[in-house]
PDB file of all heavy atoms in Angstrom:
ATOM      1  N   ARG A  47      22.203   6.238 -14.013  1.00  0.00           N
ATOM      2  CA  ARG A  47      23.598   5.843 -13.832  1.00  0.00           C
ATOM      3  C   ARG A  47      24.447   6.252 -15.037  1.00  0.00           C
ATOM      4  O   ARG A  47      25.635   6.542 -14.907  1.00  0.00           O
ATOM      5  CB  ARG A  47      23.669   4.335 -13.604  1.00  0.00           C
ATOM      6  CG  ARG A  47      25.054   3.828 -13.209  1.00  0.00           C
ATOM      7  CD  ARG A  47      25.009   2.409 -12.705  1.00  0.00           C
ATOM      8  NE  ARG A  47      24.368   1.498 -13.642  1.00  0.00           N
ATOM      9  CZ  ARG A  47      23.191   0.916 -13.450  1.00  0.00           C
ATOM     10  NH1 ARG A  47      22.501   1.169 -12.348  1.00  0.00           N
ATOM     11  NH2 ARG A  47      22.689   0.097 -14.348  1.00  0.00           N
ATOM     12  N   GLN A  48      23.826   6.293 -16.200  1.00  0.00           N
ATOM     13  CA  GLN A  48      24.538   6.657 -17.424  1.00  0.00           C
ATOM     14  C   GLN A  48      24.467   8.155 -17.733  1.00  0.00           C
ATOM     15  O   GLN A  48      24.911   8.592 -18.787  1.00  0.00           O
ATOM     16  CB  GLN A  48      23.984   5.854 -18.611  1.00  0.00           C
ATOM     17  CG  GLN A  48      24.213   4.353 -18.488  1.00  0.00           C
ATOM     18  CD  GLN A  48      23.660   3.583 -19.665  1.00  0.00           C
ATOM     19  OE1 GLN A  48      23.717   4.038 -20.812  1.00  0.00           O
ATOM     20  NE2 GLN A  48      23.121   2.398 -19.415  1.00  0.00           N
ATOM     21  N   GLY A  49      23.904   8.926 -16.818  1.00  0.00           N
ATOM     22  CA  GLY A  49      23.971  10.377 -16.954  1.00  0.00           C
ATOM     23  C   GLY A  49      22.678  11.086 -17.269  1.00  0.00           C
ATOM     24  O   GLY A  49      22.654  12.312 -17.398  1.00  0.00           O
ATOM     25  N   GLY A  50      21.576  10.365 -17.390  1.00  0.00           N
ATOM     26  CA  GLY A  50      20.303  11.009 -17.671  1.00  0.00           C
ATOM     27  C   GLY A  50      19.545  11.369 -16.409  1.00  0.00           C
ATOM     28  O   GLY A  50      19.937  11.017 -15.291  1.00  0.00           O
ATOM     29  N   ARG A  51      18.478  12.127 -16.572  1.00  0.00           N
ATOM     30  CA  ARG A  51      17.537  12.441 -15.495  1.00  0.00           C
ATOM     31  C   ARG A  51      16.218  11.776 -15.818  1.00  0.00           C
ATOM     32  O   ARG A  51      15.907  11.573 -16.992  1.00  0.00           O
ATOM     33  CB  ARG A  51      17.338  13.954 -15.361  1.00  0.00           C
ATOM     34  CG  ARG A  51      18.590  14.687 -14.931  1.00  0.00           C
ATOM     35  CD  ARG A  51      18.398  16.185 -14.965  1.00  0.00           C
ATOM     36  NE  ARG A  51      18.180  16.656 -16.329  1.00  0.00           N
ATOM     37  CZ  ARG A  51      17.036  17.185 -16.764  1.00  0.00           C
ATOM     38  NH1 ARG A  51      16.014  17.322 -15.946  1.00  0.00           N
ATOM     39  NH2 ARG A  51      16.928  17.600 -18.001  1.00  0.00           N
ATOM     40  N   THR A  52      15.455  11.407 -14.821  1.00  0.00           N
ATOM     41  CA  THR A  52      14.233  10.663 -15.081  1.00  0.00           C
ATOM     42  C   THR A  52      13.057  11.182 -14.270  1.00  0.00           C
ATOM     43  O   THR A  52      13.225  11.805 -13.229  1.00  0.00           O
ATOM     44  CB  THR A  52      14.415   9.164 -14.751  1.00  0.00           C
ATOM     45  OG1 THR A  52      14.598   8.998 -13.349  1.00  0.00           O
ATOM     46  CG2 THR A  52      15.605   8.569 -15.496  1.00  0.00           C
ATOM     47  N   ALA A  53      11.880  10.890 -14.775  1.00  0.00           N
ATOM     48  CA  ALA A  53      10.633  11.039 -14.026  1.00  0.00           C
ATOM     49  C   ALA A  53       9.813   9.790 -14.307  1.00  0.00           C
ATOM     50  O   ALA A  53       9.778   9.306 -15.438  1.00  0.00           O
ATOM     51  CB  ALA A  53       9.877  12.289 -14.455  1.00  0.00           C
ATOM     52  N   LEU A  54       9.198   9.248 -13.279  1.00  0.00           N
ATOM     53  CA  LEU A  54       8.472   7.993 -13.388  1.00  0.00           C
ATOM     54  C   LEU A  54       6.990   8.199 -13.105  1.00  0.00           C
ATOM     55  O   LEU A  54       6.620   8.796 -12.090  1.00  0.00           O
ATOM     56  CB  LEU A  54       9.050   6.980 -12.392  1.00  0.00           C
ATOM     57  CG  LEU A  54       8.313   5.650 -12.236  1.00  0.00           C
ATOM     58  CD1 LEU A  54       8.305   4.879 -13.551  1.00  0.00           C
ATOM     59  CD2 LEU A  54       8.955   4.835 -11.122  1.00  0.00           C
ATOM     60  N   PHE A  55       6.156   7.694 -13.995  1.00  0.00           N
ATOM     61  CA  PHE A  55       4.705   7.713 -13.817  1.00  0.00           C
ATOM     62  C   PHE A  55       4.232   6.263 -13.859  1.00  0.00           C
ATOM     63  O   PHE A  55       4.259   5.629 -14.918  1.00  0.00           O
ATOM     64  CB  PHE A  55       4.025   8.536 -14.909  1.00  0.00           C
ATOM     65  CG  PHE A  55       4.345  10.002 -14.852  1.00  0.00           C
ATOM     66  CD1 PHE A  55       5.501  10.489 -15.450  1.00  0.00           C
ATOM     67  CD2 PHE A  55       3.508  10.887 -14.195  1.00  0.00           C
ATOM     68  CE1 PHE A  55       5.813  11.844 -15.402  1.00  0.00           C
ATOM     69  CE2 PHE A  55       3.813  12.241 -14.132  1.00  0.00           C
ATOM     70  CZ  PHE A  55       4.967  12.720 -14.734  1.00  0.00           C
ATOM     71  N   CYS A  56       3.821   5.747 -12.711  1.00  0.00           N
ATOM     72  CA  CYS A  56       3.404   4.358 -12.642  1.00  0.00           C
ATOM     73  C   CYS A  56       2.313   4.205 -11.596  1.00  0.00           C
ATOM     74  O   CYS A  56       2.037   5.131 -10.820  1.00  0.00           O
ATOM     75  CB  CYS A  56       4.596   3.458 -12.294  1.00  0.00           C
ATOM     76  SG  CYS A  56       5.322   3.803 -10.669  1.00  0.00           S
ATOM     77  N   GLY A  57       1.683   3.051 -11.572  1.00  0.00           N
ATOM     78  CA  GLY A  57       0.685   2.752 -10.555  1.00  0.00           C
ATOM     79  C   GLY A  57      -0.413   3.794 -10.467  1.00  0.00           C
ATOM     80  O   GLY A  57      -1.052   4.134 -11.472  1.00  0.00           O
ATOM     81  N   ALA A  58      -0.618   4.328  -9.264  1.00  0.00           N
ATOM     82  CA  ALA A  58      -1.700   5.286  -9.034  1.00  0.00           C
ATOM     83  C   ALA A  58      -1.565   6.542  -9.881  1.00  0.00           C
ATOM     84  O   ALA A  58      -2.561   7.196 -10.189  1.00  0.00           O
ATOM     85  CB  ALA A  58      -1.746   5.659  -7.555  1.00  0.00           C
ATOM     86  N   ALA A  59      -0.344   6.892 -10.285  1.00  0.00           N
ATOM     87  CA  ALA A  59      -0.148   8.085 -11.119  1.00  0.00           C
ATOM     88  C   ALA A  59      -0.786   7.924 -12.499  1.00  0.00           C
ATOM     89  O   ALA A  59      -1.010   8.918 -13.189  1.00  0.00           O
ATOM     90  CB  ALA A  59       1.345   8.379 -11.270  1.00  0.00           C
TER      91      ALA A  59
END
Side-chain angles (χ1 to χ4, degrees):
R47 188 167 54 249
Q48 296 180 37
R51 295 173 295 114
T52 67
L54 173 62
F55 294 84
C56 63

